[in-house]
Amino acid sequence: MAENRKYLPLASTRRLEKLMTRYYFLTRYHRFWGKPLRRPLAWVTSGAPVELLRAFRIHPVYPENYGAICGTRRVSAQLCQVAEAAGYSQDLCSYARSHIGSILRPELAPMGGLPKPDLLVACNNICGTVLKWYEALARIFRVPLLVLDTPFLPGELTESAKSYVLEQLKHMADFLAHFTGRRLDRRELERHMALSKETVNLWKEIRGFCRAKPSPLNAPDLFIHMAPIVVLRGTPQAVHYYRLLRNEVNSRVQQGQGAVPGEKIRLVWDNIAIWYRIFGFFQMFSERGACFVTDTYSGGWVMELTEGDPLESLAATYTEIFLNRSPEFRARQMIELIKDYNADGFVMHSNRSCKPYSLVQEVIRRRVMQETGVPGLVVEADMADQRVFAEEPVRNRVQAFLETLSDI
Amino acid sequence: MLNKYYLGIDIGSLTTKVVLVDDTGAVAARAADRSGYSGRRVAERLVEEILKEKGLDKKDISATVATGYGRVTFPADREISEITCQARGIAHLFPAARTVIDIGGQDSKVIKLLPGGKVADFAMNDKCAAGTGRFLEVMAGALEVRVEDLDDLAAQSGESCPISSICTVFAESEVISHIAAGRQKADIVAGVCASVAARVASLASRTGLEPEVVFTGGVARNKGVVNALAEHLRCRLLVPEEPEVTAALGAALLAGNIKV
């Protein structure tokens, strides 16, 4: 980690590091075990139906998680420049640019870049950028690209939208059977879905502990400890890890321990973390007694898998991802978080990279302020490209915002 | 009994302002100068000057609050953001004010006030100097006129030239091409003022405008911008007598904990 935290550390972090190191170690040396075990490697988007891939024994690797690693290690700007020099626009998502940069110049990239994929799986429930990003990857590596098109939901999920996605999942399953030489084992799919469900429930429980005053976790904890639910969702390792974390967070609550000493202000975070300043940024808040007790970003992985037919359940779950939904839905979600977690205000990261997340924030901000009466701040930055972060203007806005929440 | 004095120091990106108030909140002295390389040194010199002028000593100052971009560099008792200071200063001068539009050297901001001068909401310009004092300076430079003369020129305009409000650098090239096309200086200046107004008006739409609206910061001295902004927002704008020192005044009031 490039920065040190300045508040109560979690003992589970060591186990997390071990778990993630093991995952990236296995990924890095996939070439030695993938072929003999007939387990292809797929690069997938964060909102891809990974349970289906796991049922076919595919090893999923997440370029977005890798982008976050590049951001945390502060090598994104350099990798982005490599991609920009190759013609990719500076306005393109910094995960996409970091990842493409890591392919073009692996010697500059963490872990020497990700191992080459046998397959690409993109789902546009999180954004439209992934389609073009993965098309570029398909051209570079000349491997099959599977696209799952989830229609945007202006209201609730309709039957037609659900069956449209279900049809695609069936086609995807047929293709994967052909590609891997395995039949779709429904029991295996149900097993991975049950593991996903358990992971999601544990994550939900852990997040729920933060309703306590003081909150046992601060946003950077959530951002760091969400890694397994992204890359290991649907595995026993993820379940095992989150049980451990649940116990530690629960005991913090029992002992009345807060993540931020002398918690005075409770806030809600919106948008992806600022990875290259993951501790420094939040320190501007924690040093004034402000704790981010919950967020919309890591909460995005609290996606409950419904009962019933597994493919139908996947179709519904992955179409109903919050980024695929209306500003009204997102405003309502924010309002509920503020009430539920007894928050005094909220901070929205206007993330230059992530257009679907950021574009509607001003509309949401106004509605949430109107309905809850708590103030909201917008901070301009980027999740991975540190060139976008202007320290002084950000500090100035944060200070002014916290002054409005204190008595001066 | 001796009077107590409180000092407010606003080290801005372009100008440093110093205000001294007594314990009733009345302004005893004020001074301003370009921030230059070291705003802190400019502030220290200005403080010395006003103390000398008033026949006071450093120990007559009970408390000091620093604000503005250079606030952390100055050894004050407290540093407070200029948003909070600006709000306090304006509430003191205009108790009925509910919105402040402030255009300084590199920042433009809109602050929504609660009665008593507490901040309800605010919006600031993004990482871009379009719509700020620096923008006007660059344009005045391109037109070879003094910034102070911009408002007289704008008043003479018949038909203003459209200027993009997206980027200072590109806007400067636009001004140069208008010059090359032989357009009247006055019309270009009017276009520049309208461009600043448009930029700030879009900022104001984020917080909403509630009267009374007070316009502060060095740019509020420019009648061309004041008129363009009033026209754009379709509302009356109140301008303090010395619009650039209001944040420093608020800082001094906060130093003395002098309530509105």
Side-chain angles (χ1 to χ4, degrees):
Chain A
M1 293 280 150
E3 281 183 284
N4 290 321
R5 69 169 71 220
K6 295 279 168 24
Y7 57 91
L8 198 63
L10 282 158
S12 307
T13 307
R14 285 192 57 198
R15 291 296 289 271
L16 174 75
E17 278 168 7
K18 264 192 182 163
L19 183 67
M20 293 304 289
T21 304
R22 183 176 176 274
Y23 167 75
Y24 273 105
F25 182 84
L26 282 175
T27 299
R28 188 170 180 182
Y29 295 104
H30 174 265
R31 63 182 184 274
F32 296 118
W33 56 269
K35 271 251 161 64
L37 296 177
R38 288 197 299 129
R39 295 193 55 190
L41 186 149
W43 282 358
V44 308
T45 62
S46 60
V50 69
E51 295 80 2
L52 182 63
L53 304 180
R54 291 199 193 282
F56 284 102
R57 311 266 301 142
I58 287 167
H59 181 69
V61 175
Y62 289 82
E64 288 159 64
N65 179 258
Y66 184 74
I69 293 173
C70 295
T72 312
R73 298 200 185 168
R74 298 185 182 171
V75 293
S76 280
Q78 206 183 0
L79 293 171
C80 286
Q81 277 167 351
V82 171
E84 285 156 22
Y88 292 94
S89 163
Q90 203 176 335
D91 293 320
L92 183 64
C93 157
S94 57
Y95 282 171
R97 276 177 295 145
S98 299
H99 182 227
I100 291 166
S102 78
I103 296 163
L104 299 174
R105 295 283 303 275
E107 75 279 10
L108 300 176
M111 301 175 270
L114 293 173
K116 288 190 175 63
D118 301 307
L119 176 70
L120 299 161
V121 184
C123 180
N124 61 357
N125 53 1
I126 51 161
C127 68
T129 301
V130 292
L131 299 179
K132 294 294 158 193
W133 174 6
Y134 277 62
E135 277 173 17
L137 299 176
R139 281 198 297 273
I140 296 170
F141 294 103
R142 301 188 173 279
V143 294
L145 164 62
L146 300 182
V147 170
L148 183 67
D149 178 32
T150 49
F152 182 80
L153 300 182
E156 291 307 311
L157 177 66
T158 57
E159 270 311 311
S160 56
K162 192 171 151 186
S163 59
Y164 171 65
V165 178
L166 179 62
E167 277 309 301
Q168 296 176 67
L169 283 172
K170 285 178 183 163
H171 281 296
M172 195 182 265
D174 291 342
F175 174 85
L176 291 173
H178 172 75
F179 183 74
T180 60
R182 298 174 198 277
R183 279 189 309 122
L184 173 60
D185 182 341
R186 287 187 94 83
R187 290 218 339 244
E188 192 59 9
L189 176 59
E190 278 164 9
R191 186 175 74 89
H192 287 294
M193 287 179 68
L195 287 165
S196 262
K197 206 168 175 173
E198 201 175 348
T199 312
V200 165
N201 285 339
L202 283 163
W203 186 234
K204 192 178 172 189
E205 193 183 348
I206 291 163
R207 298 172 57 79
F209 285 135
C210 298
R211 291 190 187 95
K213 271 189 186 179
S215 168
L217 300 175
N218 190 9
D221 298 315
L222 297 169
F223 300 150
I224 290 166
H225 293 269
M226 68 187 267
I229 205 168
V230 180
V231 303
L232 291 166
R233 192 169 69 255
T235 69
Q237 293 96 307
V239 171
H240 182 76
Y241 176 72
Y242 285 113
R243 279 192 193 136
L244 194 86
L245 182 65
R246 185 225 10 227
N247 294 344
E248 186 180 3
V249 178
N250 186 23
S251 77
R252 271 195 183 181
V253 176
Q254 300 308 319
Q255 292 162 34
Q257 262 183 340
V260 171
E263 176 192 294
K264 284 198 288 281
I265 298 168
R266 295 167 66 83
L267 301 171
V268 179
W269 174 262
D270 184 57
N271 215 309
I272 301 174
I274 302 172
W275 294 113
Y276 45 89
R277 295 295 311 264
I278 187 157
F279 294 123
F281 179 82
F282 288 102
Q283 202 189 322
M284 290 191 265
F285 292 88
S286 59
E287 69 192 9
R288 288 166 187 260
C291 179
F292 283 88
V293 296
T294 194
D295 72 314
T296 56
Y297 170 51
S298 70
W301 275 265
V302 182
M303 40 179 174
E304 282 160 79
L305 290 157
T306 48
E307 299 292 334
D309 177 72
L311 286 184
E312 258 182 59
S313 167
L314 287 179
T317 302
Y318 285 98
T319 309
E320 285 178 323
I321 297 251
F322 75 106
L323 282 178
N324 202 38
R325 309 197 67 165
S326 65
E328 289 74 27
F329 177 89
R330 284 175 48 194
R332 179 60 39 209
Q333 189 185 39
M334 194 74 169
I335 290 163
E336 276 161 21
L337 285 177
I338 287 166
K339 288 183 179 160
D340 203 14
Y341 285 76
N342 243 311
D344 307 300
F346 60 101
V347 177
M348 302 179 121
H349 166 203
S350 176
N351 181 354
R352 190 172 168 79
S353 274
C354 195
K355 280 80 178 175
Y357 214 147
S358 309
L359 267 179
V360 289
Q361 278 174 317
E362 197 50 49
V363 175
I364 297 173
R365 188 182 85 98
R366 257 177 306 195
R367 190 159 311 164
V368 173
M369 281 178 70
Q370 218 168 37
E371 275 208 35
T372 61
V374 305
L377 172 73
V378 175
V379 172
E380 306 262 333
D382 188 87
M383 57 199 184
D385 186 349
Q386 65 263 43
R387 291 171 297 175
V388 177
F389 190 82
E391 176 84 25
E392 202 38 53
V394 168
R395 185 173 287 281
N396 198 19
R397 284 157 177 73
V398 168
Q399 183 176 347
F401 177 70
L402 291 176
E403 283 166 2
T404 67
L405 287 167
S406 331
D407 271 322
I408 283 212
Chain B
M1 206 183 93
L2 279 171
N3 270 337
K4 278 188 168 178
Y5 290 97
Y6 302 97
L7 195 56
I9 290 166
D10 177 6
I11 304 178
S13 59
L14 281 182
T15 325
T16 294
K17 287 80 62 176
V18 172
V19 170
L20 187 72
V21 299
D22 64 21
D23 53 8
T24 66
V27 175
R30 58 188 170 270
D33 204 348
R34 299 284 285 194
S35 297
Y37 177 71
S38 168
R40 176 189 167 161
R41 236 174 269 157
V42 173
E44 282 167 344
R45 178 170 55 77
L46 293 175
V47 171
E48 262 175 48
E49 283 171 15
I50 60 170
L51 288 178
K52 206 165 158 193
E53 175 198 320
K54 299 300 292 179
L56 295 168
D57 193 75
K58 264 191 182 153
K59 58 179 182 298
D60 296 317
I61 298 167
S62 301
T64 305
V65 163
T67 188
Y69 270 120
R71 66 189 181 279
V72 289
T73 62
F74 193 88
D77 299 299
R78 273 205 298 171
E79 48 113 347
I80 297 175
S81 77
E82 66 257 32
I83 290 161
T84 305
C85 292
Q86 189 67 263
R88 181 57 64 92
I90 291 307
H92 183 80
L93 296 173
F94 302 93
R98 291 296 170 268
T99 310
V100 183
I101 294 174
D102 177 75
I103 310 184
Q106 281 182 10
D107 272 337
S108 49
K109 45 182 150 325
V110 179
I111 309 170
K112 216 171 159 179
L113 297 181
L114 295 170
K118 236 181 129 49
V119 176
D121 192 13
F122 65 90
M124 284 176 90
N125 63 320
D126 306 337
K127 291 175 288 291
C128 169
T132 68
R134 186 69 197 140
F135 179 83
L136 286 178
E137 283 197 347
V138 170
M139 298 312 143
L143 290 161
E144 294 184 335
V145 296
R146 295 187 313 162
V147 180
E148 305 87 272
D149 297 336
L150 285 174
D151 47 337
D152 282 340
L153 271 167
Q156 295 162 21
S157 163
E159 192 193 352
S160 81
C161 302
I163 308 271
S164 145
S165 53
I166 301 301
C167 166
T168 305
V169 178
F170 291 153
E172 188 183 10
S173 354
E174 275 179 72
V175 165
I176 290 165
S177 53
H178 282 311
I179 297 170
R183 300 293 301 264
Q184 292 293 314
K185 229 177 221 190
D187 293 341
I188 304 173
V189 170
V192 167
C193 294
S195 150
V196 171
R199 183 87 182 187
V200 177
S202 82
L203 205 57
S205 69
R206 286 195 216 162
T207 57
L209 277 183
E210 200 185 321
E212 298 285 342
V213 183
V214 181
F215 186 11
T216 66
V219 175
R221 283 206 185 270
N222 186 311
K223 286 192 193 70
V225 177
V226 176
N227 294 335
L229 189 58
E231 199 180 312
H232 214 103
L233 299 172
R234 292 198 190 129
C235 74
R236 183 173 71 135
L237 296 176
L238 304 172
V239 180
E241 232 170 274
E242 284 181 279
E244 60 278 88
V245 301
T246 47
L249 168 67
L253 296 169
L254 284 162
N257 199 21
I258 299 160
K259 298 268 191 249
V260 176

